[in-house]
Amino acid sequence: RLASGSFDKTASVFLLEKDRLGRSPGIGRAGGVKENNYRGHGDSVDQLCWHPSNPDLFVTASGDKTIRIWDVRTTKCIATVNTKGENINICWSPDGQTIAVGNKDDVVTFIDAKTHRSKAEEQFKFEVNEISWNNDNNMFFLTNGNGCINILRQVPMAAGYPELKPIQSINAHPSNCICIKFDPMGKYFATGSADALVSLWDVDELVCVRCFSRLDWPVRTLSFSHDGKMLASASEDHFIDIAEVETGEKLWEVQCESPTFTVAWHPKRPLLAFACDDKDGKYDSSREAGTVKLFGLP
């Protein structure tokens, strides 16, 4: 399944065809059947993510000051959690127990995925961009407006939620550090910045291994392939860069007609989903078109 969130206040879930990507009668632009629309949010759905191990659950973050957990089996919202601000970033911990959500006021709230109650919240004194746990689930990473990667360690408490203690701040980029992704193998993480660079970091050593510099605009989205061998990055450039992680060499360039908002590799196949800032048709350049596209490597 492939899920997308939209400015139109809804989320959509597509079922991909198993054998091919092409369109056929009744098949949508994404090469799959649109399974369902998920309505309920009162503002744009700015980000979403799937549960790390349960393929039936996903969570959405919205500007309406709520997050919602959805079950694709019933197509219903199973929980709505009120938060203090307009939510823009969300991630699910690798153990599935906690959802972290960041808002426009640089507050990150940690929500218990079972009780749907807020466990803790952290107010940061800088612009918080993307947030993520490491694969081992014991450290929490965030990218900030000063070009830094902030790392917090979960310190167990006698009772209640582990406290997050800042352990390191890495000066990663000379300008705004926008996005962060961990590779599925647990060897690297990558960050993208307003300086148009993607930097690759060794998880254990916390040193920058290499940089990818083929984009000209701020890097707004990253994704590692399922085997950790490829890294897709995108920006307002009219192409998506696909790099070989170990060498930094360009493997492919996916052409787009407009800036790309988000990229995501399939969890098991060399298949990349992406969404762009599309305009609907040649004659109506004012109307936004919400299109999810797929690119498959041979």
Side-chain angles (χ1 to χ4, degrees):
R1 285 188 176 94
L2 170 63
S4 64
S6 170
F7 193 71
D8 67 11
K9 309 177 188 176
T10 72
S12 295
V13 172
F14 299 88
L15 274 172
L16 294 178
E17 287 189 294
K18 288 187 173 64
D19 55 343
R20 64 195 192 90
L21 301 176
R23 276 205 269 175
S24 62
I27 301 300
R29 292 272 295 268
V33 182
K34 188 167 186 179
E35 190 182 38
N36 266 303
N37 242 3
Y38 294 78
R39 301 177 188 279
H41 277 299
D43 204 342
S44 62
V45 177
D46 287 305
Q47 209 175 42
L48 55 78
C49 60
W50 290 96
H51 186 289
S53 53
N54 182 342
D56 296 320
L57 299 181
F58 69 97
V59 63
T60 50
S62 169
D64 67 5
K65 301 187 179 181
T66 70
I67 69 162
R68 285 174 178 255
I69 302 173
W70 308 85
D71 190 325
V72 297
R73 292 164 298 189
T74 60
T75 71
K76 288 189 168 63
C77 172
I78 58 172
T80 302
V81 184
N82 292 307
T83 58
K84 287 186 174 172
E86 295 178 41
N87 301 311
I88 49 174
N89 285 311
I90 196 159
C91 65
W92 213 311
S93 64
D95 64 6
Q97 291 180 16
T98 310
I99 296 164
V101 57
N103 69 24
K104 286 184 178 174
D105 303 316
D106 306 313
V107 174
V108 178
T109 305
F110 296 88
I111 293 158
D112 188 309
K114 288 196 177 71
T115 65
H116 311 134
R117 292 207 175 105
S118 171
K119 299 200 262 199
E121 52 181 47
E122 297 263 342
Q123 169 74 65
F124 293 94
K125 293 185 172 73
F126 45 73
E127 178 188 319
V128 174
N129 292 318
E130 204 156 49
I131 52 179
S132 178
W133 272 271
N134 63 346
N135 296 21
D136 292 336
N137 208 99
N138 61 355
M139 287 197 281
F140 191 73
F141 286 63
L142 47 93
T143 56
N144 77 29
N146 306 324
C148 296
I149 304 163
N150 293 81
I151 308 170
L152 300 97
R153 185 182 288 281
Q154 292 187 316
V155 181
M157 305 283 283
Y161 186 67
E163 191 180 357
L164 285 166
K165 290 254 171 87
I167 57 164
Q168 198 160 350
S169 177
I170 303 170
N171 289 321
H173 293 269
S175 57
N176 195 343
C177 193
I178 297 168
C179 46
I180 183 167
K181 281 291 182 297
F182 282 79
D183 100 78
M185 303 292 126
K187 189 176 179 184
Y188 301 116
F189 65 89
T191 56
S193 165
D195 62 12
L197 291 176
V198 175
S199 53
L200 185 74
W201 298 80
D202 182 291
V203 165
D204 297 325
E205 304 290 333
L206 294 179
V207 293
C208 181
V209 183
R210 66 187 56 89
C211 282
F212 308 84
S213 57
R214 285 179 290 272
L215 296 169
D216 290 326
W217 290 85
V219 183
R220 52 164 77 151
T221 176
L222 297 165
S223 183
F224 281 96
S225 59
H226 68 98
D227 55 7
K229 290 179 179 174
M230 295 183 287
L231 177 62
S233 53
S235 63
E236 289 182 45
D237 288 275
H238 287 193
F239 67 91
I240 298 164
D241 183 72
I242 298 180
E244 186 172 36
V245 170
E246 289 299 344
T247 64
E249 286 176 25
K250 179 169 88 172
L251 290 173
W252 211 271
E253 205 173 85
V254 184
Q255 294 300 318
C256 323
E257 290 171 7
S258 50
T260 301
F261 287 127
T262 184
V263 294
W265 285 101
H266 187 286
K268 292 176 183 163
R269 289 158 56 190
L271 187 58
L272 186 74
F274 59 99
C276 296
D277 181 15
D278 289 329
K279 300 297 177 195
D280 198 2
K282 292 177 183 156
Y283 306 107
D284 189 2
S285 61
S286 62
R287 187 160 166 255
E288 304 283 337
T291 314
V292 179
K293 299 185 175 111
L294 290 182
F295 171 79
L297 274 170

